[in-house]
Amino acid sequence: MIEYIQISTLNDFIFCPYSIYLHNVYTGTDEMIYHAAPQTQGRIAHQSIDNKTASTRSDDILALPVYSEEYGIMGKIDIYRKNEKRLIERKFQLKHIFQGQIYQLWAQMFCLQEMGYEVKSLAFYETSTNRTIPISLPTDTDIERFKSFITQYRTFDPDSPSFCININKCQHCIYCNLCDKTQIDNVYT
């Protein structure tokens, strides 16, 4: 049986593969132990999607669970505009769009396509500024890179001696204070 990768963890894996391991270790514990202001803010901003109140447009599908057998991924989309065939991922604030965030959007698209939906365009929507940011559809080369990334994700070994910590990233990791790979504190304490 295939173990599905949560789409929401793709950006986290690029940030630090070990954080996925720590996320799994601390799942089921009190989130207040490790959640920081950005996660709390993001969760609050995402409530309108989860409650399906973010849009009143009749052609919008909100919070649709999606999966792809081909890639072994699953998650939820934020908004799919049926008439425009546009997939939109909402974020509270986007100072910079990271490759992992693009991978999340592509993963949602791959799932929708496998489920029979046509996707003609992609975008991020920044709720704090009411700004839509178009994202290009993946090229064939992008798709191959995505497949390679999924393989890296599946084969990551948290005990690998080749794993190197990045102090700059550690300081911004919500699991930093709980991590056995570093002794520094994160910026959220």
Side-chain angles (χ1 to χ4, degrees):
M1 183 173 141
I2 189 167
E3 190 168 319
Y4 282 82
I5 294 172
Q6 287 289 329
I7 293 171
S8 61
T9 65
L10 298 180
N11 189 52
D12 296 339
F13 185 82
I14 289 177
F15 179 78
C16 175
Y18 197 68
S19 73
I20 303 303
Y21 167 75
L22 292 172
H23 176 80
N24 289 323
V25 167
Y26 291 103
T27 294
T29 63
D30 182 1
E31 289 180 352
M32 296 306 294
I33 294 171
Y34 57 87
H35 262 207
Q39 286 73 34
T40 303
Q41 189 176 47
R43 179 167 283 165
I44 291 167
H46 214 264
Q47 285 177 342
S48 64
I49 288 293
D50 295 334
N51 297 333
K52 299 185 180 187
T53 59
S55 173
T56 58
R57 291 175 54 152
S58 63
D59 72 316
D60 281 357
I61 298 174
L62 304 174
L64 178 69
V66 295
Y67 73 97
S68 166
E69 287 186 26
E70 178 180 352
Y71 294 101
I73 53 179
M74 63 183 288
K76 278 187 183 179
I77 64 155
D78 284 353
I79 301 173
Y80 176 70
R81 295 226 156 108
K82 292 186 289 189
N83 293 345
E84 300 171 21
K85 297 177 177 31
R86 178 179 239 191
L87 176 61
I88 302 167
E89 172 72 11
R90 290 168 47 112
K91 299 287 185 190
F92 178 73
Q93 189 173 47
L94 286 167
K95 293 178 184 174
H96 178 79
I97 297 174
F98 295 97
Q99 186 63 47
Q101 292 168 317
I102 292 172
Y103 280 169
Q104 288 176 314
L105 191 57
W106 290 352
Q108 293 171 17
M109 179 194 75
F110 296 141
C111 290
L112 279 175
Q113 290 172 331
E114 193 172 316
M115 293 169 63
Y117 292 88
E118 184 179 3
V119 179
K120 288 188 176 180
S121 66
L122 304 170
F124 285 106
Y125 175 72
E126 185 178 48
T127 61
S128 63
T129 62
N130 196 28
R131 180 173 65 128
T132 300
I133 306 158
I135 300 297
S136 299
L137 293 171
T139 64
D140 290 341
T141 302
D142 292 332
I143 293 169
E144 289 307 313
R145 266 192 241 130
F146 179 81
K147 287 178 181 178
S148 176
F149 168 71
I150 293 296
T151 299
Q152 290 172 15
Y153 189 114
R154 288 198 180 288
T155 59
F156 175 71
D157 177 2
D159 292 326
S160 170
S162 65
F163 175 73
C164 297
I165 65 166
N166 178 329
I167 298 300
N168 293 324
K169 287 184 176 183
C170 290
Q171 291 175 333
H172 291 58
C173 178
I174 62 172
Y175 301 108
C176 181
N177 299 343
L178 305 169
C179 183
D180 59 326
K181 302 281 187 195
T182 183
Q183 298 301 314
I184 64 170
D185 287 334
N186 67 30
V187 297
Y188 307 113
T189 57

